[in-house]
Amino acid sequence: MQLKHPVTFYRSIAFWFGLVFVWVAIFGFPKTMVTVGDLFTYPIIFIIAIGSIWFSIFQKKKKY
């Protein structure tokens, strides 16, 4: 994997949506009345958001 040029990744919509959903997954988790759906949904949102940030920063190295 290779880093993308900094101007490229922070301009991508996947990066910013990823940041928003990381924030939602961390600070939006309910403090009381946690349901089973919350326990399944918030980690999935967090993993997908981290993945979108990761793939907006890094790109696959092209094989020649």
Side-chain angles (χ1 to χ4, degrees), residues 4-63:
K4 284 186 180 179
H5 194 271
V7 175
T8 307
F9 82 81
Y10 81 81
R11 288 180 135 183
S12 70
I13 195 76
F15 177 75
W16 292 108
F17 273 141
L19 283 180
V20 167
F21 282 114
V22 165
W23 183 81
V24 166
I26 292 173
F27 296 110
F29 192 80
K31 306 295 186 256
T32 58
M33 301 281 293
V34 177
T35 64
V36 175
D38 294 331
L39 294 176
F40 286 121
T41 306
Y42 281 91
I44 292 170
I45 291 172
F46 184 76
I47 291 169
I48 292 172
I50 292 296
S52 75
I53 291 171
W54 178 266
F55 287 116
S56 69
I57 294 174
F58 293 102
Q59 64 186 1
K60 282 189 171 183
K61 196 172 184 181
K62 295 180 182 177
K63 295 181 181 179

